[in-house]
């Protein structure tokens, strides 16, 4: 069979297939994920769109590898992540390395046009290591050392452990740093648990000493006169394992973030020393994307590429939540990212490990691409015959033959090949952003005050109506540059230091519209209460402040210019102090304190506007509030109205736009397009003015307009 594959703008290549043989021609011009392109070093940038899987050759007889890689190639998979748990195979004894098998695996993958990302195996130290060096074992919050037999049993702060990590990463980088079949590196795997051992405690105390200089400064910042917490010697400061002073807790989270960052940097340095610059370095960020053990901005800053692990777990794709996670990942480096792991149908760790419906895995893959992913990798290719994850979803079965999901994944792969050319160089571009900050997330989570106040849900309350207006949304760190945005929402910006306030005020004065949500500006950078009422340093420019906050166990009526509805979970009584402040929403009759008081105010400041919304509103009123803000900021939908259930994602490059449309709904959707566009997945040369999408169906549409 002769099949034409479009592999790059104007660089077609032809693949001859038959009897399991694939021979690629036109090698010199290849720019898609064709192995020989890497082999010849013709193309140094990672290909524009990749589908792949985690592959563990060390778990299988070498005689099986070729069959697996052939099945991958047939399914249009062009990247495999290998090695990230293979320490005992790579270094079976201390100082004795065996990398030949890995090299043979990389060569064989290359033969099948599959590029390789090597994971350093530092998430799973071998037994010889922790037995001989017990100080490398993590101690949990109850003081118990971790044991061999699972993974993540290492102590992230241990200099001895980091030395072993540097050694093995160095061995790998020396061997594969110039290997044309290797396109990148993943450091460790889903950084997870910190350690509470005495040596890490000493490091924390030294970190605090560097930060504060004197105990007086620390005692002042944490207000340790409270409950006689005053520290007289650095050695008295605990590693908080079960609550504590909010200043101590916040600094500990920062210390944990920096300690993971330093753990990672040791490996970045050694890989960079030996590896070609064309090989990217990343780490896969887990925890359903929203994990808050450490600061994702801190960890991704030194990396070349951000990647995360996108799992649904039980049930079905929560469209807005998952989309927001992608946008959050996109915001870590404000660049396109990879989905380094996602489920081929099901997982093994949810309460009930349901499987995604037929078609849902494809919809999910395209959602990732629509929001800025350039690669999607399944975890995993084939389950290990034994080990803790025997029940996890996979692409081929224990017999080595394709499982039912294989054909859907193969379809995604062939679509990625077809769309790679159109999507090359494109990225999401937003005019509206949601601001997040780890300080604020941690500060609220230490003391939620209302156990039902879920910051992600509150954020999604803003995100959903923006997406329903077909707007691309960025989710970015509050301290990042806001120049590109006409409108920014800060839903729960609890910690606002003087510096952050100045940054936000500059944005407003230069013409931006900042909408602060409930709980904003209550704390300073030490997690101490601001001595100005909320929103702290922004109260003066706002011309108003929060007189008192209330955790709610019922609903409170709210009404005003945008419309009427209810508040729940949280409500703040707001006052105004300047004549030019407009009250947009007021509370109705409730607890007496809130009755008839402002719930939302706004004021023009400089060339821009600052608004404060002091309550969590019901979805309908939230939609109206967001509509008021987007219309005030002159934001126009990027696509005309689409039927309910259809998600529109937009990626742009100079002079052209690619829309990814996904029908998450249960009925066929007819979508009229704003202009004629080429239908990338079907017939590129055909321009269409409408598309009909069956449930779970996807259209990729390219327009020459921006
Ligand atoms: C995480 C890990 C993988 C695997 C999957 C299973 O994301 O990184 O090694 O355990 O979970 O869902």
């Amino acid at each position: 069979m002769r099949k034409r594959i479009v592999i790059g703008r104007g660089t077609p290549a032809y693949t001859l297939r038959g009897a399991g043989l694939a021979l690629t021609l036109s090698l010199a011009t290849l720019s898609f994920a064709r192995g020989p392109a890497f082999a010849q070093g013709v193309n140094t940038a990672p290909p524009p769109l990749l589908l792949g899987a985690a592959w563990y050759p060390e778990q299988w007889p070498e005689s099986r590898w070729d069959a697996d890689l052939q099945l991958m190639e047939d399914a249009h998979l062009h990247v495999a992540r290998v090695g990230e748990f293979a320490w005992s195979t790579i270094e079976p004894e201390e100082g004795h390395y065996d990398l030949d098998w890995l090299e043979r695996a990389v060569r064989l993958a290359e033969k099948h046009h599959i590029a390789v990302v090597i994971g350093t195996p530092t998430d799973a130290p071998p037994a010889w290591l922790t037995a001989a060096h017990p100080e490398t074992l993590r101690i949990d919050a109850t003081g118990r050392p971790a044991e061999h037999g699972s993974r993540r049993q290492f102590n992230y702060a241990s200099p001895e452990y980091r030395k072993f990590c540097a050694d093995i990463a160095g061995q790998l980088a020396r061997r594969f740093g110039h290997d044309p079949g290797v396109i990148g590196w993943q450091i460790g795997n889903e950084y997870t648990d910190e350690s509470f051992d005495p040596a890490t405690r000493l490091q924390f105390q030294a970190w605090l000493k560097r930060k504060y200089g004197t105990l007086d400064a620390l005692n002042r910042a944490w207000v340790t006169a409270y409950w006689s917490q005053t520290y007289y010697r650095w050695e008295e400061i605990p590693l908080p394992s079960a609550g504590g002073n909010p200043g101590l807790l916040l600094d500990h989270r920062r210390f944990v973030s920096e300690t993971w960052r330093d753990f990672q940097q040791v490996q970045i340095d050694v890989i960079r020393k030996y590896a070609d610059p064309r090989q990217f370095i990343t780490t896969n960020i887990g925890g359903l994307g929203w994990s808050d053990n450490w600061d994702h901005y801190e960890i991704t800053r030194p990396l070349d590429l951000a990647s995360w692990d996108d799992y649904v777990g039980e049930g079905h794709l929560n469209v807005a939540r998952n989309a927001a996670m992608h946008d959050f990942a996109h915001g870590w480096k404000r660049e396109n990212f990879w989905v380094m792991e996602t489920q081929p149908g099901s997982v093994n760790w949810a309460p009930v490990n349901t499987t995604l419906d037929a078609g849902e895995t494809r919809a999910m893959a395209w959602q990732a691409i629509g929001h800025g992913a350039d690669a999607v990798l399944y975890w995993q290719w084939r389950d290990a015959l034994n080990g803790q994850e025997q029940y996890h979803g996979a692409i081929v079965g224990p017999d080595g033959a394709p499982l039912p999901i294989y054909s859907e994944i193969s379809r995604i792969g062939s679509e990625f090949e077809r769309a790679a050319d159109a999507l090359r160089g494109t990225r999401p571009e937003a005019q509206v952003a949601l601001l997040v900050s780890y300080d604020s997330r941690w500060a609220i989570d230490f003391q939620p005050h209302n156990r039902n106040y879920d910051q992600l849900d509150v954020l999604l309350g803003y995100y959903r109506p923006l997406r329903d207006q077909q707007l691309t949304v960025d989710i970015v760190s509050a301290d990042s540059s806001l120049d590109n945005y006409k409108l920014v929402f800060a839903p729960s910006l609890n910690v606002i230091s003087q510096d952050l306030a100045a940054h936000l005020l500059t944005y407003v004065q230069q013409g931006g519209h900042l909408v602060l949500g409930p709980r904003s500006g209550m704390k300073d950078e030490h997690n101490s209460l601001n001595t100005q009422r909320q929103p702290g340093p922004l109260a003066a420019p706002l011309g108003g402040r929060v007189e008192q906050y209330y955790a709610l166990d019922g609903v409170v009526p709210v009404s005003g210019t945008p419309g009427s509805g209810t508040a729940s979970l949280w409500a703040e009584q707001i006052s105004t102090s300047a004549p030019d402040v407009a009250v947009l929403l007021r509370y109705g009759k409730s607890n007496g304190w809130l009755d008839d008081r402002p719930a939302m105010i706004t004021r023009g400041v400089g060339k821009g506007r600052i608004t404060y919304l002091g309550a969590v509103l019901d979805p309908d009123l939230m939609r109206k509030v967001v509509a008021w803000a987007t219309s005030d900021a002159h934001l126009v939908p990027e696509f005309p109205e689409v039927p309910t259930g259809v998600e529109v994602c937009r990626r742009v490059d100079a002079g052209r736009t690619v829309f990814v449309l996904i029908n998450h709904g249960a009925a066929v959707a007819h979508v009229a397009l704003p202009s004629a566009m080429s239908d990338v997945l079907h017939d590129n040369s055909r321009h269409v003015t409408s598309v009909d999408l069956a449930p779970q169906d996807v259209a990729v549409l390219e327009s020459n307009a921006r």
Side-chain angles (χ1 to χ4, degrees), residues 75 82 96 196 271 340 425 428 484 513 549 622 635:
V82 302
H96 290 92
F196 293 87
I271 292 172
M340 194 57 94
N484 295 340
H513 183 174
Y549 51 85
M622 200 60 209
L635 285 170

Side-chain angles (χ1 to χ4, degrees), residues 53-342:
W55 179 47
Y56 300 101
E58 70 275 17
Q59 294 170 9
W60 303 97
E62 199 164 331
S63 56
R64 167 69 204 182
W65 294 356
D66 194 56
D68 271 322
L69 291 162
Q70 184 61 55
L71 280 170
M72 282 186 214
E73 185 181 9
D74 291 346
H76 310 271
L77 267 59
H78 293 301
V79 61
R81 187 189 55 166
V82 302
E84 86 275 10
F85 297 115
W87 199 329
S88 64
T89 313
I90 295 171
E91 192 182 1
E93 284 174 62
E94 184 167 352
H96 290 92
Y97 297 94
D98 178 3
L99 296 168
D100 294 346
W101 67 272
L102 187 52
E103 174 138 16
R104 290 196 297 278
V106 171
R107 292 283 77 77
L108 207 54
E110 190 179 65
K111 183 186 127 200
H112 289 280
H113 315 299
I114 291 167
V116 168
V117 174
I118 295 183
T120 65
T122 54
D123 201 42
W128 60 254
L129 193 162
T130 50
H133 307 274
E135 73 282 7
T136 62
L137 282 171
R138 183 171 57 79
I139 307 285
D140 74 14
T142 68
R144 229 186 17 209
E147 286 177 351
H148 191 79
S150 186
R151 59 178 171 184
R152 300 175 180 161
Q153 69 270 36
F154 64 92
N155 176 356
Y156 75 146
S158 155
E160 292 78 17
Y161 189 63
R162 289 181 185 182
K163 167 96 179 48
F164 280 105
C165 294
D167 287 348
I168 194 151
Q171 290 289 335
L172 286 162
R174 261 198 293 264
R175 181 74 167 253
F176 298 102
H178 307 297
D179 191 309
V182 175
I183 56 170
W185 297 86
Q186 173 187 303
I187 301 204
N189 187 72
E190 293 190 342
Y191 309 146
T192 309
D193 300 313
E194 63 260 29
S195 184
F196 293 87
D197 60 290
T200 304
R201 178 173 166 173
L202 286 176
Q203 287 188 26
F204 179 49
Q205 290 158 350
W207 183 92
L208 290 168
K209 198 169 179 180
R210 283 197 299 279
K211 173 165 179 175
Y212 289 100
T214 66
L215 279 168
D216 271 358
L218 178 143
N219 281 318
R220 258 196 318 277
W222 294 358
V223 194
T224 52
Y226 174 82
W227 284 357
S228 278
Q229 287 170 355
T230 313
Y231 296 103
Y232 301 93
R233 296 164 60 229
W234 295 100
E235 300 76 57
E236 292 157 1
I237 302 172
L239 258 187
S241 54
N245 176 298
L248 164 73
L249 295 181
L250 188 56
D251 272 330
H252 181 240
R253 292 263 65 87
R254 292 169 175 148
F255 165 78
V256 168
S257 301
E258 290 186 26
T259 306
W260 275 119
R261 183 201 63 195
D262 296 349
F263 167 84
Q264 172 180 268
Q265 192 62 42
V266 168
Q267 297 189 49
I268 293 179
D269 289 345
V270 73
I271 292 172
R272 270 288 152 255
K273 186 166 159 196
Y274 298 113
D276 292 342
R278 72 178 166 85
Q279 293 181 336
F280 64 78
I281 300 179
T282 188
T283 193
N284 61 328
I285 292 182
L288 302 170
W290 191 248
S291 63
D292 59 2
N293 216 27
W294 38 264
D295 180 332
H296 293 23
Y297 301 100
E298 190 76 44
I299 295 296
T300 49
R301 198 171 298 123
L303 298 171
D304 302 314
L305 172 78
S307 66
W308 79 290
D309 299 343
D310 182 11
Y311 287 99
V312 170
E314 183 173 340
H316 295 278
L317 181 67
N318 181 330
V319 175
R321 191 185 160 106
N322 206 58
M325 290 299 98
H326 286 308
D327 293 341
F328 178 48
H330 181 252
W332 296 336
K333 291 189 75 67
R334 303 180 82 163
E335 283 171 12
N336 286 8
F337 58 96
W338 280 29
V339 171
M340 194 57 94
E341 295 180 13
T342 188

Side-chain angles (χ1 to χ4, degrees), residues 66 88 111 162 213 399 401 435 467 503 537 667 685:
D66 194 56
S88 64
K111 183 186 127 200
R162 289 181 185 182
D399 58 351
L435 304 188
R467 289 293 295 140
H503 170 65
S685 59

